[in-house]
Each structure stands twice: as structure tokens, then as C-alpha cells.
Amino acid sequence: STPNCVGSPLPELTTLFIAFPIQHAGLKLVQKTTCNIGNSKDVANNNTVNSVNGNSVQTKQIEQSTYETLDKIVKGLSTYPPQLCEEGVGGTYLLRDEEGNFAGVFKPVDEEPGAPNHPKQPLQNAREGILPGEGAVREVAAFLLDHGAVAGVPPTRLASLDSYRFFQKKNADSDNCTPTFKKGSLQDYVINDGTSWDFGPGKFSTENVHRIGQLDIRLFNTDRNGGNLLIKRNATDPSVYDLIPIDHSYVLPDCLNGASFEWLYWPQAKKPFDEMTRKYISEIDIEQDASILRDLGIRDECVRTMKISTILLKRGCALGLNLFQIASMMTTKVGQLQSELQYLCEDLLTNCGENEFFSRLESVIDNYIKKAFLKTM
């Protein structure tokens, strides 16, 4: 409920600051825009873009759909306050457009599990290998690394909002009447028909599962569950539902523990990749992805995890493994203390050290795959 504030009326929202990444001419670009309520047209008029290497770039070909979403959110926030979502482990706020329809999902950094203003009980801790406050930038990273939007991660950018509706722990010096300025991830809201938990895997296409699976592997997702795979009825074939991956706060840990994939035992995961997916995987530029993550401020240890898992994906695909076989090397089986990938990497580090690690990793993975899989195929 709105706090009982005495004095001058308090505006619901004063400023929306957007810093969202887009793709243009092979470069990751960052658009920065400040919008005051009543002047939301500034979103569409500011076309100054800073590239990842710091050079100033002017472009008129900025994704119009992104601007339309931001324009709706800015207008809606002047009427509809952020709404705390009961689902999820951290603070997640639904944002509406001026007609009251959901338009965006905002996740403040300081309300993530383990962060100081986590709003839910019982208090949740961050996952192993992921520090409190690192979730928002991972939401953006998943969107950026979904090259060509093949997995369908909704557009996501970093943003700062202020509102007295955000959760803030009370203290003796606060009356809870001052708007709280918070940074976090802002993702487009996706109209959906439920989650994959609501249906059996038979409703989803093999291609759709493979495209999400390859991204989950590259990101070393530790929390791909049925609740964060939204479903939407396919426009062409109403008997099929499309999967939409959301909630990527628990990707890119600084260790090789805890990989978790809802789709691992789905029948689609055991089918071979089609030619288009194999080509897509073969053309992934690991060093470009690493550069994107570093420019987002993601720690080197976490970038290292991405490089390892992407090498595994590329080599497994090249040698003819399916999604299930590749992902199984990343997960810990019952009775095991480590996954096959952990064992291979630790053994390699023991024998060669950090400097030679990546130059030898491909051959180590190739040798393991040939012994463990190809001799029985």
C-alpha cells in the first residue's frame, strides 16, 4: 500500500534511465537515454550510441521495437506503480503501459538473493559461483549472447528507476516516503500461455529445444527449470507451443558446479542437431562473446566458464554428439562428486597450468568424446 506521507505530494516516478545493448554491424552497442515523465519522446529522439571500444557511433537504425517498449513503460509508470511479483526468489517488478497492460519486468540489483534488500521470506542466498548483485548484468548477457535471437531471449537492458513502491528495509532515519533509486535489469514482458511445467515436452519442436539448449550450455545455466521456460502457441501450427527462455540471473558462475537443464531428459535432447543449428554453433566466436561479457563487467572467472562450456558445445557438435550427450558431461550424476567436464578441466590444469589450458582443452575434450561416446556410436 502507498505510505502515508505528510507534506508535498510524492511523484510515483521521477526518472527512467536506460542503458540497453543492441546489435549493429557486428558490434555490441550501448544506447543511453534519460527520460523524464511527460517527455517520453526523448527515447526515440536520442540516437547517440557508444560502442564497446569507447568510440562514438551515430546510427539511425536502432531497433524501433525496443523504443516502442520503453516509450510504453515511461508513460505507464506515471499512472501505474511497479508491482512486486510473488513468484521467483528475488525482487521482480512488473511494469505496465499507459493502458494498464504489462510491458516490462524490472529486477533491482539490491533485491537479488543474498543482497541487502531482498524482499521475500525466507531469505535466499545467491547460487554457488554467483555473487549477490551480479544477476542483472547476467540477464543482459543472456540477451546479448543470443546472437540472431535464435533462442528467443526477450530484449533486455540495464536501467535505473526510482519509486517508493520498491522494497527498502526500514531504519530509524527513514519514513519510507522517499523514492528509492534502484539499478537493475529491464526486460520486455512476453505475453504467454503458461510455462513448460504446464505441458509435456511433446508440445515443443526439436529445433526450439535445441536452440535454447545450446544457449543454456554456453551460459552454463544453473537454473533452467520449467518455470522459466514460458510457452506461447505457435502462430502457424496451433498444436505446437514455442518456448521462450527467461530468468538468467543464475548463469555464468565462476566455477563448473551446478549445471541444471530442464530439457536434459526430454526426447528432443537425444535427437541430432539439424544442419542450421550445427552451422550456427560452428560459427560462434568465443573470443567475441568473451569481449561482450568483459565489457559488461562480468568477472574473468565467469568469462572463463563461458569459454570452457562453449568449447565443449562446439567440439561435441562437430564430433556428432547430441544435446543430451554434451549437456550430460556438464552435470553431476548420482553418486558422483564431479561432472566429467570438471574432472577434465581440473586434470588438465594440474598437468599444464593456466597458461596452456585453453590451447590444450579442445584436444582433451576431443579425446574424451572419442573414448566415451564414439566407440559405441
Side-chain angles (χ1 to χ4, degrees):
S1 61
T2 304
N4 183 18
C5 300
V6 178
S8 59
L10 180 68
E12 174 57 42
L13 178 102
T14 55
T15 305
L16 166 65
F17 175 81
I18 303 294
F20 61 93
I22 63 172
Q23 297 291 336
H24 177 70
L27 295 175
K28 178 182 77 69
L29 307 177
V30 177
Q31 168 75 20
K32 295 184 178 181
T33 302
T34 301
C35 301
N36 294 319
I37 290 301
N39 195 25
S40 59
K41 64 182 181 180
D42 288 349
V43 175
N45 292 336
N46 186 341
N47 288 330
T48 301
V49 181
N50 298 320
S51 69
V52 296
N53 58 11
N55 296 327
S56 178
V57 178
Q58 297 292 330
T59 179
K60 295 181 181 180
Q61 299 177 349
I62 299 174
E63 299 177 25
Q64 186 61 34
S65 61
T66 299
Y67 286 123
E68 291 173 355
T69 299
L70 298 179
D71 187 61
K72 290 178 181 178
I73 291 173
V74 170
K75 292 177 180 177
L77 283 169
S78 63
T79 304
Y80 298 97
Q83 176 183 335
L84 180 63
C85 180
E86 294 182 0
E87 299 176 353
V89 295
T92 300
Y93 294 85
L94 299 176
L95 308 178
R96 299 174 184 266
D97 62 19
E98 59 184 337
E99 296 178 353
N101 301 313
F102 292 125
V105 180
F106 181 62
K107 297 182 179 181
V109 168
D110 73 334
E111 295 187 31
E112 294 177 10
N117 280 306
H118 184 269
K120 297 178 181 178
Q121 297 291 338
L123 295 178
Q124 299 284 333
N125 294 319
R127 294 291 176 94
E128 181 181 6
I130 301 171
L131 302 178
E134 291 186 333
V137 74
R138 279 159 168 72
E139 297 278 1
V140 177
F143 170 62
L144 279 180
L145 264 58
D146 184 19
H147 305 298
V150 299
V153 178
T156 312
R157 71 289 291 173
L158 298 176
S160 295
L161 302 176
D162 58 334
S163 169
Y164 61 75
R165 293 298 180 94
F166 291 139
F167 181 82
Q168 191 75 16
K169 288 185 177 178
K170 295 182 179 180
N171 57 61
D173 299 324
S174 173
D175 58 4
N176 248 26
C177 291
T178 304
T180 302
F181 187 79
K182 296 201 175 189
K183 300 177 181 179
S185 64
L186 176 60
Q187 185 172 87
D188 288 8
Y189 180 84
V190 178
I191 298 174
N192 61 85
D193 298 306
T195 70
S196 67
W197 275 336
D198 300 324
F199 294 85
K203 292 287 187 179
F204 316 130
S205 72
T206 297
E207 178 186 19
N208 196 185
V209 174
H210 286 182
R211 290 185 170 196
I212 290 174
Q214 61 82 26
L215 180 64
D216 281 341
I217 287 175
R218 290 162 54 206
L219 296 173
F220 205 96
N221 201 335
T222 68
D223 189 39
R224 174 59 74 214
N225 60 71
N228 56 40
L229 284 173
L230 302 179
I231 60 170
K232 189 173 184 179
R233 193 182 295 274
N234 187 280
T236 304
D237 184 356
S239 67
V240 175
Y241 287 85
D242 296 326
L243 292 164
I244 304 165
I246 61 169
D247 292 346
H248 294 99
S249 297
Y250 288 149
V251 303
L252 301 170
D254 61 18
C255 57
L256 298 177
N257 299 333
S260 179
F261 309 120
E262 174 74 14
W263 43 259
L264 182 61
Y265 295 104
W266 290 0
Q268 296 93 326
K270 295 186 178 181
K271 294 183 178 180
F273 292 116
D274 61 23
E275 182 178 351
M276 184 177 296
T277 303
R278 290 197 300 270
K279 184 176 185 294
Y280 179 88
I281 292 172
S282 70
E283 294 177 351
I284 294 171
D285 188 330
I286 297 177
E287 291 306 319
Q288 181 187 41
D289 285 355
S291 178
I292 290 172
L293 297 185
R294 292 191 185 100
D295 288 327
L296 287 172
I298 291 176
R299 291 178 288 134
D300 286 341
E301 302 94 321
C302 307
V303 176
R304 181 175 179 272
T305 296
M306 181 279 297
K307 294 177 67 173
I308 292 171
S309 58
T310 306
I311 289 172
L312 172 64
L313 173 69
K314 290 171 73 72
R315 296 313 306 155
C317 181
L319 291 171
L321 298 192
N322 58 40
L323 185 64
F324 169 79
Q325 291 168 321
I326 297 171
S328 293
M329 291 180 61
M330 302 171 62
T331 57
T332 304
K333 314 298 187 300
V334 176
Q336 291 182 337
L337 297 178
Q338 292 182 313
S339 67
E340 284 91 342
L341 184 60
Q342 284 178 279
Y343 172 79
L344 292 175
C345 290
E346 289 187 7
D347 186 62
L348 179 58
L349 279 173
T350 300
N351 292 325
C352 74
E354 189 71 37
N355 293 335
E356 299 179 40
F357 178 80
F358 281 107
S359 64
R360 295 179 57 180
L361 182 58
E362 282 194 15
S363 62
V364 168
I365 289 176
D366 283 3
N367 290 336
Y368 179 85
I369 288 174
K370 291 173 182 178
K371 291 178 182 179
F373 296 101
L374 301 188
K375 66 179 181 180
T376 61
M377 294 176 63

